[in-house]
Amino acid sequence: MLKAFDGAGDSAEAVVVDGAGLSRERLLGAAGAVAGRIAGASALAVLARPTVETVVATVAGLLAGVPVVPVPPDAGPGERAHILRDSGAPLLAVSAADRDAEAYGAQLLTVDPSERGQAPAEPSDDSGTAFVLYTSGTTGAPKGVVLSRRAIAAGLDGLAEAWAWTPEDTLVHGLPLFHVHGLILGVLGPLRVGGRLLHTGRPTPQGYAAAGGSLYFGVPTVWSRIAADEPAAKALASARLLVSGSAPLPVPVFQRLRELTGQAPIERYGMTETLITLSTRADGERRPGSVGLPLPGVRTRLVAENGETVPHDAESLGELQVSGPTLSDGYLGRPDADTGTRTADGWFRTGDIAVVGPDGFHRIVGRASVDLIKSGGFRIGAGEVEAALRDHPAVLDAAVVGAPDTDLGQVVVAFVVPRGPVTGEQLTAFVAERLSVHKRPRRVVLVPELPRNAMGKVLKQLLLQQC
């Protein structure tokens, strides 16, 4: 999986995290020292702060063939205890700054980036577990997603092809290191292709502008802030690719980035359980609101509630199901959850609603649980209404939910962050002029901001509680 280490002896800094750097040779030596101490462990939990220690510990686990379990640094005691207990990880890798921390619930293993050891050869069995990544737990305690070495290698190689990612690229991002986006794509990606990583610590417009990279990762919140900072955005004009993911990128932000940087951003789609399955291409069309085409080896289909296949006509909604080499091995110790997400013929049910055009381009409408609104016999995609609202010049951001209604079943409620004077009545009329009348919001709530998680996804369950 870390094939870029083969014969690597480059003394230049290959990984820089929040100002601290390591060459490939030093990273391999430090990881080798940790790998020697964890050999034979059932799993290695890693307190995943944005530090070089996190990178060293992650690489050590992969070299030693020990499953890595990233622990969010802001996890509360209950969540942290659940992850450690559920994963069975006996060790928690931390930096020296955290070695005196109490109540972690596991034996602490202090990572020293200056330490040196002989790195073992990577395991030859690519079906072994590389990571157990815990989901956000919106429907109960977080579940551990088991990701094999084979799936991760297939996912990274597919993205390298789609994005023409080479050893000449310097990747810049400031994303959390306990998710697929920031850790697997953002750390293992450059290590696998042989390029360089510059992690900014925090994803600020100023940090991105000063980095001088060729490839940038961000979530919509990051790109929105960069698009609002004209000097920072223009500083990215020399970059080769700007990649957005983890949540839909608002079309106005897409257009503003294209205006200021001279290029349209790449959008891609995936989940912890599937890794990245869809993306626009470096050498292809970059269409606003679209996540592009399946990666090599990935197949997709849209399925209606009655089980019938939905046509690819750019209009019909269906649940997106995927199949291919990037799928996870299921949920750790949760066969019940596996049963609920796998079809009889082996496809993964994403729970996302999408439309696919005749040309194969995919557009994600939203989650079936909160973004498919059934009102008066109509099926309404929340994402379509949100996009229409964002087209209004006085709207900065918007999120749409389906609130329970005794007459219609559900009604469309819009939560809007205004950028200027506007009323709910004006926004309702604006949407009705652009979409079918039944898709107009029945209620508009003006709010100062939308609740989001660390990856920029709107927490719609919190909005539903306000309806």
Side-chain angles (χ1 to χ4, degrees):
M1 183 186 307
L2 301 173
K3 62 183 181 182
F5 277 130
D6 295 346
D10 190 355
S11 61
E13 289 183 336
V15 174
V16 178
V17 183
D18 201 16
L22 290 174
S23 66
R24 295 186 186 281
E25 183 178 13
R26 289 175 59 206
L27 174 56
L28 190 60
V34 175
R37 287 191 278 157
I38 65 174
S42 58
L44 174 67
V46 178
L47 189 61
R49 299 193 191 281
T51 63
V52 291
E53 286 87 349
T54 294
V55 177
V56 168
T58 298
V59 172
L62 297 175
L63 292 174
V66 175
V68 176
V69 183
V71 177
D74 60 349
E79 181 182 355
R80 186 171 58 235
H82 167 76
I83 292 173
L84 295 172
R85 180 177 60 253
D86 189 70
S87 67
L91 300 170
L92 176 63
V94 300
S95 67
D98 289 306
R99 63 187 173 191
D100 294 328
E102 299 178 355
Y104 278 117
Q107 179 181 345
L108 298 187
L109 184 151
T110 303
V111 176
D112 181 357
S114 67
E115 196 175 3
R116 297 290 176 269
Q118 181 63 42
E122 280 197 79
S124 57
D125 180 9
D126 65 0
S127 66
T129 299
F131 289 91
V132 179
L133 289 182
Y134 279 78
T135 60
S136 58
T138 56
T139 57
K143 299 186 294 290
V145 178
V146 180
L147 296 169
S148 70
R149 306 173 72 88
R150 177 185 303 159
I152 291 172
L156 293 178
D157 289 347
L159 289 175
E161 177 181 328
W163 298 342
W165 197 350
T166 75
E168 302 304 313
D169 280 308
T170 293
L171 169 64
V172 177
H173 74 89
L175 303 174
L177 298 187
F178 49 91
H179 288 297
V180 167
H181 197 168
L183 182 60
I184 294 180
L185 274 62
V187 173
L188 299 191
L191 292 179
R192 183 163 177 84
V193 303
R196 184 170 181 259
L197 166 65
L198 197 162
H199 191 287
T200 58
R202 295 178 62 250
T204 64
Q206 296 74 25
Y208 275 41
S214 60
L215 178 60
Y216 286 79
F217 287 175
V219 298
T221 300
V222 172
W223 291 123
S224 178
R225 291 171 180 172
I226 290 174
D229 188 328
E230 186 170 333
K234 289 185 174 180
L236 305 186
S238 62
R240 190 176 64 80
L241 286 182
L242 310 177
V243 180
S244 182
S246 297
L249 183 68
V251 172
V253 177
F254 180 104
Q255 294 170 336
R256 183 63 172 163
L257 286 172
R258 180 169 55 189
E259 174 187 341
L260 294 174
T261 68
Q263 65 166 300
I266 289 278
E267 293 190 69
R268 88 302 181 279
Y269 165 85
M271 302 176 65
T272 305
E273 294 90 340
T274 66
L275 300 179
I276 306 306
T277 53
L278 300 162
S279 181
T280 47
R281 302 304 203 258
D283 60 353
E285 181 184 359
R286 307 177 193 181
R287 190 179 301 170
S290 171
V291 291
L293 304 165
L295 292 182
V298 173
R299 294 185 297 156
T300 67
R301 67 187 184 190
L302 296 183
V303 179
E305 290 176 301
N306 61 6
E308 294 182 359
T309 301
V310 173
H312 292 184
D313 58 9
E315 294 183 3
S316 300
L317 300 175
E319 181 194 39
L320 178 65
Q321 298 182 359
V322 300
S323 176
T326 65
L327 295 191
S328 75
D329 290 337
Y331 298 105
L332 184 67
R334 291 290 305 274
D336 58 323
D338 290 334
T339 301
T341 56
R342 302 277 175 156
T343 65
D345 53 352
W347 290 65
F348 182 83
R349 302 183 58 188
T350 67
D352 283 323
I353 302 300
V355 296
V356 182
D359 57 2
F361 268 66
H362 291 58
R363 180 167 59 86
I364 306 300
V365 175
R367 296 294 293 170
S369 58
V370 293
D371 291 318
L372 182 59
I373 302 169
K374 301 173 184 178
S375 181
F378 294 103
R379 299 167 79 244
I380 304 166
E384 184 179 19
V385 183
E386 290 165 353
L389 286 166
R390 293 189 188 107
D391 283 341
H392 193 288
V395 172
L396 180 63
D397 204 355
V400 167
V401 298
D405 183 79
T406 55
D407 179 35
L408 298 174
Q410 290 179 304
V411 293
V412 177
V413 177
F415 290 81
V416 173
V417 180
R419 70 165 82 242
V422 69
T423 66
E425 291 78 10
Q426 290 171 330
L427 293 176
T428 295
F430 184 82
V431 172
E433 291 172 357
R434 285 154 179 78
L435 303 177
S436 300
V437 173
H438 67 266
K439 297 178 181 179
R440 72 190 186 282
R442 298 300 182 107
R443 179 183 169 207
V444 175
V445 183
L446 301 180
V447 294
E449 62 181 1
L450 299 175
R452 296 180 182 272
N453 65 14
M455 298 307 291
K457 295 182 180 180
V458 177
L459 301 174
K460 291 198 172 182
Q461 293 294 348
L462 296 181
L463 295 178
L464 279 168
Q465 294 173 13
Q466 301 177 40
C467 292

